[in-house]
Amino acid sequence: MTYEELHAEMVAAMKAKDKVRLGVARLVLGELKNAASRGGAHEITEEEVTAQIKRTLKQTSETLEMSEKAGNNAERTENLREQVAVLESLLPQQVSGDELVALVEKTIAELGATSKKDMGRVMGALTAATNGNFDKPAAAKEVGLRLS
């Protein structure tokens, strides 16, 4: 998702009066603007947007987990669940299933990986090829099965 697409998402949420989606979009956009101003004026890349969404998702998921454990404010917990769902919908589709298996096989062949010692290189290449948008536990399992 690009910065412009995220901004358009915020505008659409305003028009639809979707407070949760609007709040999430504003939060992510604000964090991106803060990061851009700290790092000097530059164009915000799609990778930066995705990374910020992932960071926000991680923080919100952790807060949700703590809220569920505390179990004292059901309304806040439900709001956090909605925020997590919105953040997940903003992320690119993760590579999984048959597509992931094919990508693992292709990457192993390209790198000439043969042993478990090459697992880090293969996982790194998968991360680079997909911008980190893949099911990591499933990929690790597939790589482990194919390397002796």
Side-chain angles (χ1 to χ4, degrees):
M1 171 170 280
T2 65
Y3 183 83
E4 290 76 23
E5 290 171 335
L6 185 58
H7 191 272
E9 185 75 29
M10 181 185 74
V11 171
M14 274 188 227
K15 289 179 181 177
K17 297 186 179 5
D18 184 343
K19 290 181 181 180
V20 175
R21 188 171 281 286
L22 176 61
V24 167
R26 281 184 172 161
L27 175 66
V28 174
L29 284 169
E31 290 295 327
L32 286 167
K33 286 179 185 175
N34 287 341
S37 66
R38 284 190 304 266
H42 71 283
E43 183 94 12
I44 297 172
T45 65
E46 192 169 338
E47 290 78 22
E48 289 173 316
V49 173
T50 300
Q52 183 59 55
I53 292 170
K54 285 180 180 180
R55 276 192 298 276
T56 306
L57 175 60
K58 182 179 181 207
Q59 292 168 348
T60 307
S61 296
E62 289 170 354
T63 305
L64 172 61
E65 189 177 308
M66 287 187 274
S67 181
E68 287 174 338
K69 283 181 183 177
N72 55 0
N73 191 339
E75 185 178 324
R76 180 170 188 264
T77 302
E78 187 55 38
N79 186 29
L80 288 168
R81 274 193 200 102
E82 291 173 15
Q83 289 177 11
V84 166
V86 169
L87 286 163
E88 287 174 344
S89 74
L90 295 175
L91 287 172
Q93 185 68 29
Q94 284 201 327
V95 178
S96 60
D98 293 338
E99 187 179 357
L100 179 62
V101 171
L103 185 59
V104 165
E105 290 173 352
K106 177 183 168 207
T107 305
I108 289 173
E110 286 176 355
L111 294 176
T114 57
S115 70
K116 296 258 187 211
K117 291 180 182 178
D118 296 322
M119 189 162 182
R121 283 187 345 165
V122 173
M123 293 299 286
L126 288 170
T127 301
T130 63
N131 269 341
N133 292 321
F134 66 100
D135 185 351
K136 289 164 188 66
K141 181 179 175 186
E142 289 297 326
V143 171
L145 290 173
R146 285 164 176 67
L147 298 178
S148 54

